[in-house]
Amino acid sequence: PKSALAARLGIAPDELERALHRLARNHSLVLHPHAPEPWLVHPFSTSPTHTWIARGNDGWWAPCLWCALGVATLVGGDAVVHTRLGGEATPIAIPIRDGRPGAGAPALCAHFPAPPRTAWDNVHHFCARLLPFRSGDEVDAWCARHGLPRGEVVGLDQLADLARRWYGGHARPDWRKWTVAEAAAIFREVGLTGEFWQLESRD
């Protein structure tokens, strides 16, 4: 709760509220619509989602598979990402070691539902559709079944590489939000190129 966070930071509740709103305005976190309480602090979610990362007796929710691999990177060690293929009935468990798919990890891909530059048009909808599949053909069938547009398909290893580069420094005290140029460079470094992955600066 906000009061506990204010006490931990040693600041007044109204000062914390102003800071949270500043962070929300630059997309560093997402607040609940009707209260200045953190809802998403990427790569973590404070509300239950379809993606759970377990490490020993600890666990965390993530908004999507990309974020889940980011959480696994930040917490380190051996973890398991629990989710469902296409967000439907089939559960899937992905063993992760230090943010990378571990021994026995299933052959999976992830579907980016829309270009990342549009994610903040509705970040919840974007994250909810960034799901695991066994193949591109499964993605095609899923999109047709639900009447949703097809985006781009990324292999699990490549997604893990993106997550490590994107979220790997988030726990550092001096971390700051990526600039557009820095974010675009990360996509290029992991081999995600082409118009779909192009970023632009938008107010």
Side-chain angles (χ1 to χ4, degrees):
K2 188 176 66 173
S3 58
L5 181 57
R8 183 170 182 176
L9 295 174
I11 61 177
D14 59 342
E15 183 181 354
L16 173 64
E17 186 170 328
R18 290 193 297 272
L20 289 172
H21 280 294
R22 286 196 301 273
L23 290 167
R25 282 195 297 273
N26 76 6
H27 297 162
S28 294
L29 52 74
V30 181
L31 300 179
H32 285 277
H34 305 296
E37 299 274 355
W39 187 0
L40 299 179
V41 185
H42 287 95
F44 299 90
S45 172
T46 64
S47 296
T49 69
H50 53 62
T51 306
W52 175 254
I53 305 93
R55 189 195 63 180
N57 294 324
D58 298 320
W60 305 266
W61 288 299
C64 68
L65 186 57
W66 177 11
C67 290
L69 293 169
V71 171
T73 294
L74 288 171
V75 303
D78 292 329
V80 179
V81 174
H82 297 275
T83 185
R84 298 190 309 279
L85 292 175
E88 297 178 342
T90 305
I92 196 82
I94 309 169
I96 303 293
R97 170 164 286 186
D98 294 327
R100 303 173 188 272
L108 296 172
C109 59
H111 177 230
F112 273 75
R117 63 180 174 271
T118 69
W120 285 94
D121 292 347
N122 184 338
V123 71
H124 296 286
H125 191 47
F126 180 89
C127 287
R129 295 175 296 149
L130 207 164
L131 296 161
F133 294 87
R134 290 193 185 96
S135 68
D137 288 342
E138 281 195 0
V139 173
D140 293 338
W142 182 88
C143 290
R145 186 163 61 251
H146 295 291
L148 292 170
R150 189 188 194 279
E152 291 284 332
V153 175
V154 175
L156 187 62
D157 286 334
Q158 191 174 24
L159 183 66
D161 193 15
L162 173 64
R164 287 194 307 275
R165 293 170 187 258
W166 193 272
Y167 290 119
H170 272 47
R172 292 200 313 259
D174 62 346
W175 178 83
R176 59 171 176 74
K177 187 176 174 65
W178 301 118
T179 66
V180 173
E182 289 168 340
I186 291 172
F187 283 113
R188 290 194 303 271
E189 287 165 4
V190 300
L192 297 173
T193 59
E195 195 278 333
F196 186 90
W197 304 101
Q198 296 302 305
L199 302 181
E200 58 189 28
S201 180
R202 301 196 303 178
D203 293 333

